[in-house]
Amino acid sequence: MEEPVKAIFTECIQTQIASADLLQEPLLRAGELLVDSLLRGQKVYCCGESMAHASARHFSHIMLTGLQFDRPPFPVNALHADFGANEHQAIFAQQISAVGQPNDLLVVLSAGAQAPRVSRAMEAALSRGMLIVALTNDADQDVAGLLGPDDVEIRIPSRNAARVSEHLLQLVNMLCSLAEQQIFPQEDDA
């Protein structure tokens, strides 16, 4: 029984090592885009497809409440997934169409190959002149193709949805840390 557990840990560690090499530059660009949006007074919205939805909600929570120290809340809103909606696939897009403004930021997360609700939200964001940060994976077939030249993709080097989900949580924590460090540099010295 120990061997399957060790194999899971090994796969997780291998994905971590590959991510450390591949994701540094896009993570820094995404952090810059996030900080720039916040400092210009833009709103940030986030959503996730399927099991990535929990990581999107976590991102919104830590951006509002703080991750490493007490600070004023950042204006980040998780789009809700109303499963009772008439058109479930369009629920995120409807929210972006209702509130999204030019130069606002949409952060999308996807742990699998298909992301129809997230893709439609991205289309709505693009039609409103918003910017996008996409956290995707090697299995992605929907999200990356919708990104423009000013958008940022952070592509986790894995096709395993469990490993991708683990890394999504780590990446949203890192994005929050980068934003806090850039906006409140004096707190790094404390």
Side-chain angles (χ1 to χ4, degrees):
M1 187 65 174
E2 291 177 13
E3 199 57 40
V5 172
K6 187 173 182 178
I8 292 169
F9 274 113
T10 300
E11 183 181 16
C12 183
I13 291 166
Q14 289 170 340
T15 305
Q16 288 276 28
I17 291 168
S19 295
D21 293 335
L22 295 172
L23 302 184
Q24 187 172 5
E25 189 269 330
L27 185 60
L28 288 172
R29 282 189 17 239
E32 290 170 3
L33 188 58
L34 177 62
V35 167
D36 185 55
S37 295
L38 293 170
L39 291 177
R40 287 186 293 113
Q42 301 299 135
K43 300 288 188 273
V44 178
Y45 302 96
C46 60
C47 61
E49 191 76 40
S50 190
M51 46 197 237
H53 186 66
S55 293
R57 293 185 59 78
H58 172 74
F59 176 65
S60 174
H61 173 75
I62 61 176
M63 291 295 285
L64 286 169
T65 61
L67 181 65
Q68 297 178 336
F69 49 84
D70 288 333
R71 57 159 172 81
F74 295 139
V76 177
N77 297 293
L79 303 178
H80 68 83
D82 182 358
F83 294 101
N86 289 340
E87 194 177 346
H88 177 66
Q89 296 298 323
I91 190 64
F92 296 148
Q94 290 170 336
Q95 293 168 74
I96 290 297
S97 294
V99 297
Q101 298 295 314
N103 296 313
D104 281 348
L105 181 64
L106 176 63
V107 178
V108 297
L109 292 79
S110 176
Q114 306 293 311
R117 293 185 310 155
V118 163
S119 296
R120 289 185 67 179
M122 292 173 69
E123 290 167 353
L126 291 170
S127 74
R128 300 192 65 79
M130 295 172 63
L131 300 168
I132 299 170
V133 169
L135 285 73
T136 66
N137 62 86
D138 282 344
D140 174 63
Q141 297 175 10
D142 288 347
V143 175
L146 294 171
L147 296 171
D150 296 327
D151 300 326
V152 178
E153 179 185 21
I154 302 172
R155 182 177 283 263
I156 298 165
S158 178
R159 299 178 74 82
N160 181 315
R163 301 297 77 79
V164 172
S165 289
E166 293 161 0
H167 284 74
L168 287 174
L169 185 59
Q170 181 181 28
L171 288 169
V172 297
N173 285 339
M174 288 177 171
L175 283 172
C176 184
S177 290
L178 288 171
E180 288 180 343
Q181 291 167 10
Q182 291 295 310
I183 295 172
F184 299 102
Q186 69 279 5
E187 294 296 331
D188 275 347
D189 300 332

